Amino acid sequence: MSDRQEHSARLQRALGYFFNDTGLLELALTHRSVGGGNYERLEFLGDSIVNHIVAEALYHKFPDAREGELSRMRAALVRGESLAEIARELTLGDHLLLGSGERKSGGKRRASILADALESVAGAILLDADVETCRRCVLGWFGSRLEGLSIEHARKDAKTRLQEFLQGRQRPLPAYELLDVQGDDHKQQFHVACRLAKPALVAEGSGSSRRKAEQAAARDALDRLGVS
């Protein structure tokens, strides 16, 4: 077996799936910076199937959860940083095909690229095999994260979770500041900043009310802190 084949085999072992058409796997790992064919269409497909598989798993795991609670749990699992973390665990970055500029700028470590590539690999598995095989792989990738979710976690809003996260580490509480209000009285859009002292961080969010904008800013802060 050549070095290239062994390199690919290691990744496929980590993914939990060996491709019949390894060209599909290569396409799923090819960033648009390379030029020509790239993973964007597979990413589109993978995004849909990953969301479906995770939603279905949550539906069965939490039979008493309300729609909003299921949506919040799914959002926590399939947000970009969560997908990037899984991609890192699978060492996906080591196998990405990037243009020279993207390589030099650290593209193989960039969360957005890793998240997109994970979705594109899921799309490639779906095309190479079937829905059941894709489901088995995706659930394997998300396994510990799905097991660690609780309905109580989903019932807490973003501001409450951010406050509890900071209090648990004896850090100052966040300060919310209204930055801007746009639009007519009946259709206003509020823009709010959430400022943290430790770690020093400014997150922002928008919404149709100040309360919703503050929740969005708190969610952005949680995302940037890596808290699901």
Side-chain angles (χ1 to χ4, degrees):
M1 184 181 291
S2 69
D3 290 345
R4 182 176 178 181
Q5 287 173 323
E6 177 56 34
H7 191 59
S8 176
R10 281 199 300 272
L11 173 60
Q12 292 177 78
R13 280 194 292 271
L15 293 172
Y17 178 73
F18 283 84
F19 279 79
N20 299 300
D21 179 3
T22 54
L24 264 176
L25 175 59
E26 184 171 329
L27 182 62
L29 298 171
T30 303
H31 187 257
R32 64 177 174 270
S33 60
V34 173
N38 61 67
Y39 61 50
E40 288 183 340
R41 282 170 54 85
L42 286 173
E43 178 204 340
F44 164 77
L45 184 61
D47 173 73
S48 297
I49 193 65
V50 168
N51 271 275
H52 170 79
I53 291 167
V54 170
E56 183 183 44
L58 292 170
Y59 181 87
H60 292 299
K61 181 176 173 64
F62 299 102
D64 298 324
R66 296 188 293 273
E67 181 273 336
E69 293 162 351
L70 291 170
S71 293
R72 283 193 291 276
M73 286 189 284
R74 181 181 61 181
L77 287 170
V78 301
R79 65 193 177 95
E81 187 52 48
S82 296
L83 296 176
E85 286 173 3
I86 293 171
R88 292 186 190 104
E89 292 166 6
L90 297 169
T91 68
L92 214 55
D94 295 340
H95 303 267
L96 289 173
L97 302 174
L98 304 167
S100 59
E102 199 64 64
R103 271 200 315 275
K104 291 174 183 175
S105 65
K108 72 176 185 178
R109 296 185 298 275
R110 189 166 298 129
S112 59
I113 292 178
L114 289 169
D116 290 348
L118 185 74
E119 290 178 334
S120 67
V121 168
I125 292 172
L126 177 65
L127 292 181
D128 194 61
D130 50 42
V131 173
E132 287 306 315
T133 302
C134 188
R135 178 181 288 109
R136 176 181 57 78
C137 291
V138 170
L139 291 179
W141 304 343
F142 281 90
S144 61
R145 289 167 173 81
L146 275 166
E147 291 172 10
L149 282 178
S150 69
I151 193 67
E152 289 75 19
H153 180 89
R155 285 174 178 163
K156 293 177 181 176
D157 62 40
K159 287 181 68 175
T160 300
R161 288 192 285 123
L162 178 59
Q163 181 173 312
E164 290 180 351
F165 174 83
L166 295 170
Q167 285 177 328
R169 289 157 181 78
Q170 299 181 328
R171 296 175 184 174
L173 295 181
Y176 294 91
E177 176 188 354
L178 181 63
L179 299 177
D180 190 28
V181 182
Q182 295 183 343
D184 299 329
D185 289 345
H186 66 284
K187 197 176 182 181
Q188 289 184 323
Q189 191 74 3
F190 294 77
H191 192 60
V192 165
C194 172
R195 302 183 187 277
L196 307 187
K198 186 179 179 182
L201 185 154
V202 179
E204 297 184 9
S206 299
S208 56
S209 69
R210 180 165 181 166
R211 182 183 64 81
K212 290 181 179 179
E214 288 179 351
Q215 290 288 354
R219 281 194 296 274
D220 183 39
L222 288 167
D223 284 346
R224 292 169 65 180
L225 289 168
V227 182
S228 60

